[in-house]
Amino acid sequence: MTSPTAQPTAPAVDSGRDGLRRLLLDTGALEPAWVPAFDAVRRADFLPGVMWPHDMATGRSRTVDKARDPDAWQSYADSDCPIVTQWDDGAHNGPEPGRSFSSSSSMPSLVFSMLADLDVREGQRVLEIGTGTGWNAALLAHRVGAGNVVTVDVDGVVAAGARAALQRAGLPVRVLHRDGYLGFPERAPYDRIIATCGLRNIPFEWVDQTVPGGIILVPWGTYYGPAEATARLVVADDGRSASGPFTRPVGFMRMRAQRLVRRQHAAYVPPGAMDRADTSVTSVPAADLDGFVPGLLVPDVTHVADREREGRRTVWLYGLSDTSWAAAVFRDGRNEAKVYQSGPRRLWDEVEAAHEWWEAHGRPGYERFGLTVERGGHTRVWLDGPNGLL
């Protein structure tokens, strides 16, 4: 069931934008229909003078200042690299990376892959949730017309920067400073809605504001961990639901209103709790506890894996509706791990049952799952089609 101190590696592209263009075409991320938008709308025009390219392999970010090193700045702007543009919800000051990134410019390969999933047509009306730098809205505006795009961002500074960049680019998209959770009914209905922030709950207001047959593209995941996948939801003809498969694994900054605020560890495991817990052993591999799928199968749980120390690694599970907890202690060279659990829910028992189900169904990955969002805010996860039950 399976995002600083060091500098990331230099961007692996050649010849700037030409190299990036070739890379995106060769990998299939950039479809022919989006080439004119790529050529006309430069990512660099939407990036700040000081930015922080992020190395996906190491999880590290570095500071790049256009005034001090314009060549490096341009090289990263034209690379297939995610770039942090704001830290700590804007509270961060100074050139060094902050504690937590809160706005960014996504990898171009991801941007164009998601735009391909969105499947827009000329003249369609699009609502974007999460403006960021404004580059994504600019690409959409070039394709469907600036008057057909509305983009919203919860951060006023981010929204103002994107609005200015869009105006400089000659693409006067309507940029709103507001919480996008309720959409923007004043301009509805939309043919397409795209979110560029991670969600854990999808508001039905987005379905209400989309035409029947319209598409809602959402990076979605559970509170189990950071792993997400894009859900491509098609609104039903009667407008009472939207349903569709997961299309690709992604990792986005979470919508601010849906960030997880979990109890402290001591609220679950006070002193002496390990001695009083129920114990058992498990043969579920630690690797099978990571990723997107476990969160689909074990709901209302978050998990944390300690760093490995001297061949020992503990994986913790915490209930989100109560203080149930479980811990599995894995040791190098051993096929079984010792398990501790306590609370109203037997979280490890649920993990064991979910793992058994997963094995019995051929160890499905994200691509076999999907979502249905129904009126009333109910979200249902399914396997192998909307009628498949977990």
Side-chain angles (χ1 to χ4, degrees):
M1 294 185 299
T2 63
S3 274
T5 56
Q7 294 184 351
T9 55
V13 297
D14 61 324
S15 305
R17 271 172 56 80
D18 288 341
L20 178 60
R21 190 179 192 269
R22 284 194 297 271
L23 173 67
L24 298 178
L25 286 169
D26 289 346
T27 60
L30 180 59
E31 294 188 342
W34 281 102
V35 169
F38 176 88
D39 290 342
V41 183
R42 301 193 322 150
R43 184 194 196 194
D45 293 340
F46 294 83
L47 293 171
V50 178
M51 62 188 190
W52 298 268
H54 185 73
D55 191 321
M56 299 292 289
T58 66
R60 308 292 188 180
S61 300
R62 66 166 292 186
T63 304
V64 179
D65 188 333
K66 187 176 184 180
R68 294 185 177 184
D69 194 345
D71 290 340
W73 187 96
Q74 190 66 54
S75 183
Y76 278 108
D78 292 335
S79 73
D80 192 30
C81 173
I83 297 173
V84 180
T85 56
Q86 186 198 68
W87 296 89
D88 306 327
D89 295 343
H92 164 262
N93 290 307
E96 295 305 310
R99 297 181 60 187
S100 176
F101 32 72
S102 49
S103 192
S104 71
S105 176
S106 297
M107 299 171 63
S109 57
L110 176 58
V111 168
F112 284 101
S113 294
M114 288 181 63
L115 289 174
D117 285 345
L118 195 64
D119 191 27
V120 297
R121 302 284 193 271
E122 184 177 352
Q124 288 186 328
R125 296 162 62 88
V126 183
L127 173 64
E128 179 190 44
I129 311 297
T131 307
T133 66
W135 184 48
N136 197 68
L139 294 168
L140 284 164
H142 188 275
R143 183 79 186 274
V144 303
N148 290 320
V149 180
V150 178
T151 181
V152 304
D153 202 286
V154 72
D155 190 301
V157 173
V158 170
R163 185 181 299 112
L166 284 158
Q167 291 287 346
R168 289 194 300 269
L171 296 166
V173 169
R174 186 168 185 180
V175 181
L176 301 173
H177 169 214
R178 59 183 289 163
D179 187 346
Y181 187 75
L182 298 180
F184 186 56
E186 293 89 336
R187 287 285 297 274
Y190 304 98
D191 299 285
R192 302 289 189 266
I193 293 181
I194 180 172
T196 60
C197 53
L199 272 79
R200 299 299 179 263
N201 300 294
I202 301 173
F204 197 80
E205 283 83 355
W206 295 3
V207 181
D208 275 337
Q209 293 172 35
T210 305
V211 300
I215 295 171
I216 303 171
L217 190 68
V218 186
W220 185 90
T222 68
Y223 285 115
Y224 183 85
E228 298 170 332
T230 43
R232 187 179 188 274
L233 310 176
V234 178
V235 177
D237 290 342
D238 60 9
R240 299 176 63 180
S241 65
S243 187
F246 295 112
T247 60
R248 67 188 71 252
V250 295
F252 276 84
M253 299 172 195
R254 198 168 303 169
M255 177 175 276
R256 294 187 186 183
Q258 295 189 16
R259 293 171 177 169
L260 176 63
V261 179
R262 175 173 56 80
R263 300 176 179 92
Q264 295 295 314
H265 176 79
Y268 290 94
V269 192
M274 295 285 282
D275 297 331
R276 298 188 297 271
D278 296 334
T279 60
S280 59
V281 295
T282 184
S283 58
V284 175
D288 287 355
L289 301 174
D290 295 331
F292 178 71
V293 173
L296 305 180
L297 306 181
V298 188
D300 298 321
V301 171
T302 188
H303 98 300
V304 177
D306 291 345
R307 292 183 179 179
E308 184 174 331
R309 295 179 181 176
E310 299 179 349
R312 180 178 183 271
R313 179 174 181 245
T314 303
V315 176
W316 297 89
L317 302 173
Y318 303 102
L320 296 179
S321 57
D322 56 37
T323 55
S324 299
W325 63 272
V329 182
F330 295 91
R331 298 182 185 273
D332 288 350
R334 299 187 185 181
N335 294 325
E336 292 186 333
K338 188 170 183 179
V339 172
Y340 304 80
Q341 60 181 330
S342 181
R345 291 177 65 184
R346 294 336 236 179
L347 297 184
W348 197 265
D349 293 351
E350 293 183 29
V351 167
E352 292 270 10
H355 190 268
E356 183 178 346
W357 179 95
W358 182 66
E359 291 273 9
H361 286 79
R363 301 170 66 93
Y366 74 89
E367 68 281 351
R368 286 180 57 188
F369 292 91
L371 282 183
T372 296
V373 180
E374 299 170 327
R375 191 172 297 279
H378 178 63
T379 298
R380 177 169 57 83
V381 180
W382 41 259
L383 176 74
D384 295 337
N387 294 324
L389 300 177
L390 295 189

